[in-house]
Amino acid sequence: MDIVEFFQQSAGKWFSQRTSHHLAFKQSESGKSDIVIEMMAKDDPAVVQLCQQYEVDPALALCGARVTWNGTMEWDEEKHTGSTVLVPIADPDKPNEGKLLRDQGYAEKASVAGRYVVGEDQALTLITEYETMYSEERLWFASPNLRLRTSILKRFGGFSMASFCSEIRMGVTQAADTQASSSASSATSAS
Amino acid sequence: MDIVEFFQQSAGKWFSQRTSHHLAFKQSESGKSDIVIEMMAKDDPAVVQLCQQYEVDPALALCGARVTWNGTMEWDEEKHTGSTVLVPIADPDKPNEGKLLRDQGYAEKASVAGRYVVGEDQALTLITEYETMYSEERLWFASPNLRLRTSILKRFGGFSMASFCSEIRMGVTQAADTQASSSASSATSAS
Protein backbone atom coordinates (compact mmCIF):
# COMPACT_ATOMS: atom_id res chain seq x y z
CA MET A 1 0.00 0.00 0.00
CA ASP A 2 1.29 3.48 -0.80
CA ILE A 3 0.08 6.80 0.59
CA VAL A 4 -2.40 7.34 -2.27
CA GLU A 5 -3.90 3.88 -1.73
CA PHE A 6 -4.07 4.58 1.99
CA PHE A 7 -6.07 7.75 1.33
CA GLN A 8 -8.29 5.93 -1.19
CA GLN A 9 -9.04 3.24 1.34
CA SER A 10 -9.81 5.97 3.89
CA ALA A 11 -12.31 7.74 1.63
CA GLY A 12 -15.82 7.62 3.00
CA LYS A 13 -17.78 8.44 6.09
CA TRP A 14 -16.59 7.14 9.45
CA PHE A 15 -17.91 7.03 12.96
CA SER A 16 -14.95 7.62 15.23
CA GLN A 17 -14.69 6.81 18.94
CA ARG A 18 -11.81 8.66 20.53
CA THR A 19 -10.17 8.27 23.92
CA SER A 20 -7.41 10.50 25.22
CA HIS A 21 -5.31 9.41 28.16
CA HIS A 22 -3.97 12.49 29.93
CA LEU A 23 -0.79 10.97 31.29
CA ALA A 24 0.11 13.43 34.04
CA PHE A 25 -3.44 13.42 35.47
CA LYS A 26 -3.98 9.67 34.96
CA GLN A 27 -7.40 10.55 33.59
CA SER A 28 -9.05 9.62 30.33
CA GLU A 29 -11.48 11.59 28.22
CA SER A 30 -13.70 10.18 25.53
CA GLY A 31 -15.22 11.69 22.43
CA LYS A 32 -17.18 10.81 19.36
CA SER A 33 -17.00 12.23 15.89
CA ASP A 34 -18.32 11.81 12.39
CA ILE A 35 -15.51 12.07 9.89
CA VAL A 36 -15.81 12.43 6.13
CA ILE A 37 -12.76 11.85 3.92
CA GLU A 38 -12.96 12.79 0.25
CA MET A 39 -10.33 12.28 -2.41
CA MET A 40 -9.43 15.35 -4.45
CA ALA A 41 -7.93 15.58 -7.91
CA LYS A 42 -4.27 16.62 -8.08
CA ASP A 43 -5.30 19.73 -10.00
CA ASP A 44 -8.08 20.74 -7.62
CA PRO A 45 -7.64 24.48 -6.95
CA ALA A 46 -7.38 23.81 -3.19
CA VAL A 47 -4.53 21.32 -3.78
CA VAL A 48 -2.68 23.71 -6.06
CA GLN A 49 -3.16 26.56 -3.61
CA LEU A 50 -1.83 24.53 -0.69
CA CYS A 51 1.29 23.59 -2.67
CA GLN A 52 1.87 27.23 -3.55
CA GLN A 53 1.46 28.21 0.09
CA TYR A 54 4.30 25.79 0.98
CA GLU A 55 6.30 26.80 -2.12
CA VAL A 56 6.12 23.28 -3.53
CA ASP A 57 5.64 22.61 -7.26
CA PRO A 58 1.98 21.49 -7.58
CA ALA A 59 3.09 18.88 -10.14
CA LEU A 60 4.68 16.96 -7.22
CA ALA A 61 1.34 16.49 -5.41
CA LEU A 62 0.52 12.77 -5.32
CA CYS A 63 -3.15 13.43 -4.56
CA GLY A 64 -5.30 15.47 -2.22
CA ALA A 65 -7.80 14.62 0.48
CA ARG A 66 -10.30 16.72 2.34
CA VAL A 67 -11.04 15.62 5.91
CA THR A 68 -14.09 17.07 7.66
CA TRP A 69 -14.99 16.29 11.27
CA ASN A 70 -17.88 17.00 13.56
CA GLY A 71 -17.75 15.74 17.10
CA THR A 72 -17.77 16.25 20.81
CA MET A 73 -15.34 15.62 23.63
CA GLU A 74 -16.37 14.86 27.19
CA TRP A 75 -14.57 17.64 29.05
CA ASP A 76 -15.88 20.66 27.22
CA GLU A 77 -19.14 21.83 25.77
CA GLU A 78 -17.65 23.01 22.51
CA LYS A 79 -18.48 21.40 19.22
CA HIS A 80 -15.29 20.12 17.62
CA THR A 81 -15.85 20.77 13.94
CA GLY A 82 -13.38 21.51 11.24
CA SER A 83 -12.00 20.66 7.88
CA THR A 84 -8.53 20.34 6.45
CA VAL A 85 -6.91 19.55 3.11
CA LEU A 86 -4.01 17.06 3.07
CA VAL A 87 -1.51 16.79 0.22
CA PRO A 88 1.34 14.23 0.26
CA ILE A 89 4.61 15.07 -1.50
CA ALA A 90 6.92 12.04 -1.78
CA ASP A 91 10.63 12.28 -1.13
CA PRO A 92 12.46 11.97 -4.46
CA ASP A 93 14.51 9.01 -3.25
CA LYS A 94 12.04 7.34 -0.85
CA PRO A 95 8.66 6.61 -2.46
CA ASN A 96 6.98 5.62 0.83
CA GLU A 97 8.04 8.70 2.76
CA GLY A 98 7.57 12.38 2.34
CA LYS A 99 6.00 15.60 3.44
CA LEU A 100 2.34 15.91 4.25
CA LEU A 101 1.07 19.41 3.63
CA ARG A 102 -2.08 20.48 5.45
CA ASP A 103 -3.89 23.74 5.64
CA GLN A 104 -4.73 23.34 9.31
CA GLY A 105 -2.88 21.28 11.90
CA TYR A 106 -4.94 18.89 13.98
CA ALA A 107 -3.50 20.03 17.27
CA GLU A 108 -2.75 23.65 16.55
CA LYS A 109 -4.51 25.93 14.13
CA ALA A 110 -1.40 27.11 12.31
CA SER A 111 -0.50 25.57 8.96
CA VAL A 112 2.23 23.01 9.36
CA ALA A 113 3.77 20.30 7.20
CA GLY A 114 4.32 16.89 8.73
CA ARG A 115 6.34 13.83 7.71
CA TYR A 116 4.65 10.63 6.60
CA VAL A 117 5.99 7.07 6.33
CA VAL A 118 4.02 4.10 5.01
CA GLY A 119 5.53 1.05 6.68
CA GLU A 120 5.92 -2.49 5.40
CA ASP A 121 3.10 -3.38 7.79
CA GLN A 122 0.80 -1.07 5.78
CA ALA A 123 0.52 1.39 8.66
CA LEU A 124 0.80 5.12 8.06
CA THR A 125 2.90 7.11 10.52
CA LEU A 126 2.56 10.89 10.66
CA ILE A 127 5.05 13.02 12.55
CA THR A 128 4.38 16.69 13.09
CA GLU A 129 6.63 19.06 14.96
CA TYR A 130 5.03 22.24 16.16
CA GLU A 131 6.82 25.03 17.97
CA THR A 132 6.21 23.66 21.48
CA MET A 133 4.74 20.26 20.61
CA TYR A 134 5.57 16.99 18.89
CA SER A 135 2.88 14.66 17.61
CA GLU A 136 3.31 11.10 16.32
CA GLU A 137 0.27 9.38 14.91
CA ARG A 138 -0.11 5.82 13.59
CA LEU A 139 -3.06 4.82 11.41
CA TRP A 140 -3.86 1.35 10.14
CA PHE A 141 -6.72 -0.76 8.86
CA ALA A 142 -7.81 -3.78 10.87
CA SER A 143 -10.20 -4.41 7.96
CA PRO A 144 -11.49 -2.23 5.08
CA ASN A 145 -14.25 -1.05 7.43
CA LEU A 146 -12.31 -0.63 10.67
CA ARG A 147 -9.55 1.94 10.87
CA LEU A 148 -7.48 2.43 14.03
CA ARG A 149 -5.35 5.37 15.11
CA THR A 150 -3.03 6.00 18.01
CA SER A 151 -1.22 9.21 18.73
CA ILE A 152 1.18 10.52 21.29
CA LEU A 153 1.72 14.16 22.07
CA LYS A 154 4.83 15.63 23.62
CA ARG A 155 4.83 19.11 25.06
CA PHE A 156 8.01 20.79 26.29
CA GLY A 157 9.91 17.54 25.84
CA GLY A 158 7.60 15.25 27.87
CA PHE A 159 4.75 13.00 26.83
CA SER A 160 1.47 14.60 27.85
CA MET A 161 -1.19 12.57 26.06
CA ALA A 162 -1.76 9.20 24.41
CA SER A 163 -4.89 8.84 22.28
CA PHE A 164 -6.71 6.07 20.51
CA CYS A 165 -9.44 6.18 17.87
CA SER A 166 -11.44 3.30 16.47
CA GLU A 167 -13.24 4.27 13.29
CA ILE A 168 -16.10 2.31 11.77
CA ARG A 169 -17.05 2.92 8.15
CA MET A 170 -20.55 4.35 7.81
CA GLY A 171 -20.72 4.64 4.04
CA VAL A 172 -18.64 5.24 0.96
CA THR A 173 -18.13 8.33 -1.12
CA GLN A 174 -16.41 6.45 -3.93
CA ALA A 175 -18.48 4.19 -6.12
CA ALA A 176 -15.31 2.35 -7.12
CA ASP A 177 -14.69 1.22 -3.57
CA THR A 178 -16.31 -2.18 -3.88
CA GLN A 179 -14.54 -3.62 -0.85
CA ALA A 180 -16.33 -1.26 1.48
CA SER A 181 -19.77 -1.94 2.80
CA SER A 182 -22.37 0.80 2.98
CA SER A 183 -23.76 -0.11 6.37
CA ALA A 184 -22.17 0.68 9.68
CA SER A 185 -23.10 -2.60 11.28
CA SER A 186 -21.10 -4.50 8.71
CA ALA A 187 -17.90 -3.13 10.24
CA THR A 188 -18.20 -5.53 13.10
CA SER A 189 -18.72 -8.46 10.80
CA ALA A 190 -15.91 -7.56 8.40
CA SER A 191 -13.00 -9.92 8.67
CA MET B 1 15.20 -5.55 19.94
CA ASP B 2 14.38 -9.23 20.35
CA ILE B 3 11.65 -10.77 22.49
CA VAL B 4 13.93 -11.21 25.51
CA GLU B 5 15.01 -7.57 25.35
CA PHE B 6 11.36 -6.57 25.00
CA PHE B 7 10.53 -8.46 28.19
CA GLN B 8 13.57 -7.03 29.97
CA GLN B 9 12.50 -3.52 29.02
CA SER B 10 9.00 -4.36 30.29
CA ALA B 11 10.20 -5.54 33.69
CA GLY B 12 8.97 -3.32 36.49
CA LYS B 13 5.83 -1.86 37.93
CA TRP B 14 3.43 -0.02 35.64
CA PHE B 15 0.33 2.07 36.05
CA SER B 16 -1.93 1.14 33.17
CA GLN B 17 -4.90 3.14 31.84
CA ARG B 18 -7.11 1.01 29.66
CA THR B 19 -9.96 1.94 27.34
CA SER B 20 -12.09 -0.58 25.50
CA HIS B 21 -14.22 0.52 22.57
CA HIS B 22 -17.18 -1.83 22.23
CA LEU B 23 -17.68 -1.50 18.49
CA ALA B 24 -21.23 -2.79 18.10
CA PHE B 25 -22.53 -0.63 20.97
CA LYS B 26 -20.41 2.41 20.06
CA GLN B 27 -19.60 2.72 23.74
CA SER B 28 -16.30 2.90 25.54
CA GLU B 29 -15.31 1.58 28.93
CA SER B 30 -12.29 2.65 30.93
CA GLY B 31 -10.21 0.89 33.52
CA LYS B 32 -7.09 1.25 35.59
CA SER B 33 -4.62 -1.34 36.69
CA ASP B 34 -1.33 -1.80 38.44
CA ILE B 35 0.84 -4.27 36.55
CA VAL B 36 4.04 -5.90 37.76
CA ILE B 37 6.30 -7.69 35.27
CA GLU B 38 9.16 -9.80 36.60
CA MET B 39 11.81 -11.63 34.59
CA MET B 40 12.26 -15.30 35.45
CA ALA B 41 15.26 -17.52 34.92
CA LYS B 42 14.98 -20.08 32.11
CA ASP B 43 15.30 -22.84 34.66
CA ASP B 44 12.70 -21.46 37.05
CA PRO B 45 10.43 -24.37 38.02
CA ALA B 46 7.36 -22.49 36.73
CA VAL B 47 9.02 -22.02 33.32
CA VAL B 48 10.01 -25.66 33.10
CA GLN B 49 6.55 -26.77 34.16
CA LEU B 50 4.85 -24.57 31.55
CA CYS B 51 7.08 -26.01 28.80
CA GLN B 52 6.23 -29.51 29.94
CA GLN B 53 2.53 -28.69 29.93
CA TYR B 54 2.84 -27.69 26.23
CA GLU B 55 5.17 -30.62 25.50
CA VAL B 56 8.01 -28.28 24.56
CA ASP B 57 11.65 -29.00 25.47
CA PRO B 58 12.41 -26.60 28.38
CA ALA B 59 15.86 -26.03 26.86
CA LEU B 60 14.12 -24.06 24.09
CA ALA B 61 12.67 -21.45 26.49
CA LEU B 62 14.26 -18.07 25.73
CA CYS B 63 13.26 -16.64 29.08
CA GLY B 64 10.24 -16.36 31.33
CA ALA B 65 8.18 -13.49 32.67
CA ARG B 66 5.56 -13.30 35.35
CA VAL B 67 2.84 -10.69 34.82
CA THR B 68 0.60 -9.77 37.77
CA TRP B 69 -2.28 -7.29 37.50
CA ASN B 70 -4.68 -5.67 39.90
CA GLY B 71 -7.27 -3.32 38.52
CA THR B 72 -10.83 -2.24 37.98
CA MET B 73 -13.05 -1.73 34.95
CA GLU B 74 -15.91 0.77 34.82
CA TRP B 75 -18.79 -1.53 33.94
CA ASP B 76 -18.49 -4.07 36.69
CA GLU B 77 -17.75 -4.10 40.37
CA GLU B 78 -15.38 -7.02 40.25
CA LYS B 79 -11.73 -6.67 41.01
CA HIS B 80 -9.67 -7.74 38.00
CA THR B 81 -6.69 -9.45 39.49
CA GLY B 82 -4.58 -12.26 38.18
CA SER B 83 -1.17 -13.52 37.30
CA THR B 84 0.27 -15.40 34.36
CA VAL B 85 3.61 -16.80 33.29
CA LEU B 86 4.80 -16.14 29.73
CA VAL B 87 7.49 -18.17 27.98
CA PRO B 88 8.64 -17.39 24.42
CA ILE B 89 9.86 -20.23 22.19
CA ALA B 90 11.49 -18.97 18.98
CA ASP B 91 10.83 -20.59 15.61
CA PRO B 92 13.98 -22.46 14.57
CA ASP B 93 14.22 -20.57 11.28
CA LYS B 94 12.81 -17.16 12.32
CA PRO B 95 14.53 -15.71 15.38
CA ASN B 96 12.03 -12.86 15.81
CA GLU B 97 8.92 -15.03 15.67
CA GLY B 98 7.65 -17.91 17.68
CA LYS B 99 5.20 -19.33 20.13
CA LEU B 100 4.32 -17.60 23.36
CA LEU B 101 3.30 -20.07 26.03
CA ARG B 102 1.17 -18.81 28.89
CA ASP B 103 -0.50 -20.52 31.76
CA GLN B 104 -3.61 -18.37 31.57
CA GLY B 105 -4.98 -16.50 28.55
CA TYR B 106 -5.79 -12.83 29.01
CA ALA B 107 -9.23 -13.07 27.46
CA GLU B 108 -10.21 -16.60 28.43
CA LYS B 109 -9.08 -18.57 31.41
CA ALA B 110 -7.92 -21.66 29.51
CA SER B 111 -4.24 -22.15 28.80
CA VAL B 112 -3.45 -21.20 25.25
CA ALA B 113 -0.29 -20.58 23.23
CA GLY B 114 -0.13 -17.51 21.02
CA ARG B 115 2.21 -16.38 18.24
CA TYR B 116 4.61 -13.50 18.68
CA VAL B 117 6.43 -11.37 16.15
CA VAL B 118 8.93 -8.63 16.97
CA GLY B 119 8.81 -6.21 14.04
CA GLU B 120 11.56 -4.08 12.56
CA ASP B 121 9.79 -1.14 14.20
CA GLN B 122 10.53 -2.74 17.63
CA ALA B 123 6.85 -3.45 18.25
CA LEU B 124 5.72 -6.79 19.63
CA THR B 125 2.64 -8.34 18.03
CA LEU B 126 0.82 -11.15 19.83
CA ILE B 127 -1.79 -13.23 18.04
CA THR B 128 -3.93 -15.65 20.00
CA GLU B 129 -6.64 -17.83 18.55
CA TYR B 130 -9.17 -19.19 20.99
CA GLU B 131 -12.01 -21.48 20.10
CA THR B 132 -14.53 -18.72 19.35
CA MET B 133 -12.26 -15.70 19.51
CA TYR B 134 -9.25 -14.14 17.83
CA SER B 135 -7.07 -11.56 19.57
CA GLU B 136 -4.33 -9.44 18.04
CA GLU B 137 -2.32 -7.24 20.35
CA ARG B 138 0.45 -4.74 19.56
CA LEU B 139 2.83 -3.48 22.24
CA TRP B 140 5.49 -0.84 21.83
CA PHE B 141 7.55 1.62 23.81
CA ALA B 142 7.11 5.33 23.17
CA SER B 143 9.97 5.75 25.65
CA PRO B 144 11.58 3.46 28.26
CA ASN B 145 8.92 4.67 30.71
CA LEU B 146 5.83 4.77 28.48
CA ARG B 147 4.54 1.53 26.98
CA LEU B 148 1.51 1.47 24.69
CA ARG B 149 -0.75 -1.42 23.73
CA THR B 150 -3.61 -1.82 21.30
CA SER B 151 -5.67 -4.92 20.82
CA ILE B 152 -8.53 -6.02 18.65
CA LEU B 153 -10.86 -8.88 19.47
CA LYS B 154 -12.87 -10.83 16.94
CA ARG B 155 -15.71 -13.04 18.02
CA PHE B 156 -17.50 -15.31 15.59
CA GLY B 157 -15.64 -13.75 12.68
CA GLY B 158 -16.48 -10.11 13.42
CA PHE B 159 -14.56 -7.42 15.29
CA SER B 160 -16.20 -6.80 18.63
CA MET B 161 -13.74 -4.71 20.58
CA ALA B 162 -10.75 -2.40 20.10
CA SER B 163 -8.71 -1.56 23.21
CA PHE B 164 -5.90 0.77 24.10
CA CYS B 165 -3.62 0.86 27.13
CA SER B 166 -1.09 3.52 28.05
CA GLU B 167 1.31 2.29 30.71
CA ILE B 168 3.52 4.54 32.80
CA ARG B 169 6.47 3.05 34.64
CA MET B 170 6.12 3.34 38.40
CA GLY B 171 9.40 1.73 39.38
CA VAL B 172 11.91 -0.91 38.42
CA THR B 173 12.43 -4.43 39.65
CA GLN B 174 15.80 -4.79 37.95
CA ALA B 175 18.75 -2.88 39.33
CA ALA B 176 20.50 -3.28 35.98
CA ASP B 177 17.82 -1.33 34.18
CA THR B 178 19.57 2.01 34.28
CA GLN B 179 17.47 3.53 31.52
CA ALA B 180 14.33 3.34 33.58
CA SER B 181 13.40 5.91 36.13
CA SER B 182 12.09 5.01 39.53
CA SER B 183 9.46 7.71 39.77
CA ALA B 184 6.11 7.73 38.05
CA SER B 185 6.11 11.40 37.27
CA SER B 186 9.27 11.04 35.22
CA ALA B 187 7.32 9.12 32.59
CA THR B 188 5.83 12.30 31.33
CA SER B 189 9.17 14.01 31.12
CA ALA B 190 10.98 11.09 29.46
CA SER B 191 11.81 11.72 25.85
Side-chain angles (χ1 to χ4, degrees):
Chain A
M1 183 140 61
D2 61 27
I3 184 82
V4 176
E5 288 162 344
F6 196 97
F7 278 1
Q8 283 167 342
Q9 198 171 331
S10 299
K13 191 175 171 192
W14 301 83
F15 172 76
S16 175
Q17 259 188 280
R18 183 184 185 87
T19 303
S20 297
H21 292 177
H22 297 272
L23 299 175
F25 308 126
K26 298 185 180 176
Q27 294 293 328
S28 72
E29 182 188 15
S30 63
K32 291 180 179 180
S33 192
D34 289 331
I35 297 176
V36 177
I37 302 175
E38 297 159 286
M39 291 298 285
M40 298 163 81
K42 286 186 214 189
D43 59 357
D44 186 292
V47 172
V48 173
Q49 197 194 336
L50 191 59
C51 290
Q52 287 167 343
Q53 188 186 325
Y54 282 97
E55 297 177 349
V56 169
D57 179 358
L60 297 175
L62 296 176
C63 67
R66 187 186 303 277
V67 182
T68 307
W69 60 93
N70 180 3
T72 51
M73 287 298 285
E74 210 179 355
W75 288 6
D76 59 34
E77 299 287 313
E78 273 176 70
K79 265 280 185 190
H80 290 257
T81 58
S83 176
T84 189
V85 173
L86 303 173
V87 174
I89 310 286
D91 282 356
D93 49 343
K94 294 181 196 159
N96 285 324
E97 295 185 29
K99 269 196 287 205
L100 187 69
L101 314 184
R102 48 185 138 184
D103 66 349
Q104 192 187 56
Y106 281 112
E108 289 197 348
K109 295 259 159 126
S111 292
V112 67
R115 295 278 317 158
Y116 74 85
V117 181
V118 180
E120 283 187 19
D121 58 357
Q122 316 295 311
L124 171 63
T125 301
L126 300 180
I127 293 169
T128 313
E129 299 194 55
Y130 302 88
E131 225 170 276
T132 60
M133 205 161 69
Y134 169 95
S135 147
E136 191 174 320
E137 189 170 17
R138 184 175 191 272
L139 301 93
W140 71 103
F141 289 91
S143 81
N145 296 325
L146 178 59
R147 197 172 86 146
L148 302 174
R149 282 199 278 163
T150 59
S151 72
I152 45 173
L153 262 192
K154 252 190 222 182
R155 276 180 198 273
F156 309 111
F159 287 111
S160 62
M161 194 161 76
S163 301
F164 179 57
C165 296
S166 61
E167 304 183 323
I168 301 172
R169 187 184 292 279
M170 304 292 283
V172 290
T173 57
Q174 289 199 310
D177 193 348
T178 52
Q179 272 195 296
S181 154
S182 59
S183 84
S185 61
S186 65
T188 54
S189 61
S191 59
Chain B
M1 182 142 59
D2 62 26
I3 182 82
V4 176
E5 288 163 343
F6 196 96
F7 279 2
Q8 283 168 340
Q9 197 170 333
S10 299
K13 190 172 172 197
W14 301 82
F15 170 77
S16 175
Q17 259 189 280
R18 183 183 185 87
T19 304
S20 296
H21 292 176
H22 297 271
L23 299 176
F25 309 128
K26 299 185 179 174
Q27 294 293 328
S28 73
E29 183 188 13
S30 64
K32 291 179 182 184
S33 193
D34 288 330
I35 297 176
V36 177
I37 301 174
E38 296 159 287
M39 291 299 286
M40 299 163 79
K42 287 186 211 188
D43 59 357
D44 186 291
V47 172
V48 173
Q49 196 193 336
L50 191 61
C51 290
Q52 286 166 344
Q53 188 186 324
Y54 282 96
E55 297 176 349
V56 168
D57 179 359
L60 297 174
L62 296 176
C63 66
R66 189 186 301 279
V67 183
T68 307
W69 59 92
N70 180 2
T72 51
M73 286 298 285
E74 209 177 357
W75 289 5
D76 59 32
E77 299 289 311
E78 276 175 70
K79 265 278 185 192
H80 291 257
T81 58
S83 177
T84 189
V85 174
L86 303 172
V87 175
I89 310 286
D91 284 356
D93 50 344
K94 291 181 197 159
N96 284 326
E97 295 185 29
K99 271 198 286 207
L100 187 69
L101 314 183
R102 49 184 137 184
D103 68 350
Q104 193 187 55
Y106 281 113
E108 291 195 348
K109 295 258 160 127
S111 290
V112 67
R115 297 275 319 153
Y116 75 82
V117 181
V118 181
E120 284 186 18
D121 58 358
Q122 317 295 311
L124 171 63
T125 301
L126 300 179
I127 293 170
T128 314
E129 298 195 53
Y130 303 89
E131 227 170 272
T132 61
M133 206 162 66
Y134 169 94
S135 146
E136 190 176 320
E137 190 170 17
R138 183 173 191 273
L139 301 92
W140 72 102
F141 289 91
S143 81
N145 296 326
L146 177 60
R147 197 173 86 144
L148 302 173
R149 283 200 278 162
T150 59
S151 72
I152 46 174
L153 263 192
K154 251 189 224 186
R155 277 181 198 273
F156 309 111
F159 288 111
S160 63
M161 196 161 74
S163 300
F164 178 58
C165 295
S166 60
E167 303 183 325
I168 301 173
R169 187 184 294 277
M170 304 291 284
V172 290
T173 57
Q174 290 197 310
D177 193 347
T178 51
Q179 272 194 298
S181 156
S182 60
S183 84
S185 61
S186 65
T188 53
S189 61
S191 58

